[in-house]
Amino acid sequence: MLISVAEVLAGLIGAGIILMGARAFWAPQAAAGFGIPDTPTDDRNFQAWLSVKAVRDIASGLFILILLAGATPHLLGWFMLAAAGIPVGDALIVWRSNGPKAAVYGIHGATAVVMLAISVLLLVG
């Protein structure tokens, strides 16, 4: 039962990451909401960088979905544990950039905690 819940949550995380990446292509100004003050969303150079990040987000979400479809829960658990480093790093970047604490803890920190919880459920289940 716990593995099924963890797999559903992992699938939601994967789909969410894919949507975030796709959104960066059609609404780059939304990137400002992730916590880095004075994000130059109208700058073509920033949009190019954001496109690179978007492709990586989409691929990361696909990795989760592929592992969910074809791997063991244990392997998915290890992947989710490793991937939790991404929102931890994002939180540190926003914190170092004097971004809003709500983004540090509420967006990135909460995502890391959920991913860690998913990985624990998959690894011990």
Side-chain angles (χ1 to χ4, degrees):
M1 172 69 175
L2 289 179
I3 288 181
S4 296
V5 170
E7 288 174 334
V8 168
L9 292 173
L12 290 172
I13 293 281
I17 294 169
I18 291 169
L19 289 173
M20 267 186 354
R23 187 170 183 213
F25 286 118
W26 79 72
Q29 64 279 7
F34 285 92
I36 298 175
D38 302 321
T39 302
T41 57
D42 292 331
D43 179 35
R44 290 181 53 81
N45 290 326
F46 174 77
Q47 289 178 4
W49 173 87
L50 188 61
S51 295
V52 170
K53 182 187 175 317
V55 168
R56 281 161 177 72
D57 284 348
I58 292 168
S60 295
L62 288 172
F63 293 154
I64 292 171
L65 298 182
I66 289 166
L67 287 170
L68 187 60
T72 64
H74 194 76
L75 181 58
L76 177 60
W78 281 113
F79 181 84
M80 294 299 288
L81 180 63
I86 296 170
V88 169
D90 292 345
L92 291 172
I93 291 166
V94 172
W95 177 70
R96 285 183 47 184
S97 301
N98 295 318
K101 300 295 186 248
V104 173
Y105 301 110
I107 297 171
H108 305 296
T111 301
V113 169
V114 168
M115 290 177 75
L116 289 171
I118 291 168
S119 66
V120 167
L121 291 173
L122 291 166
L123 290 170
V124 300

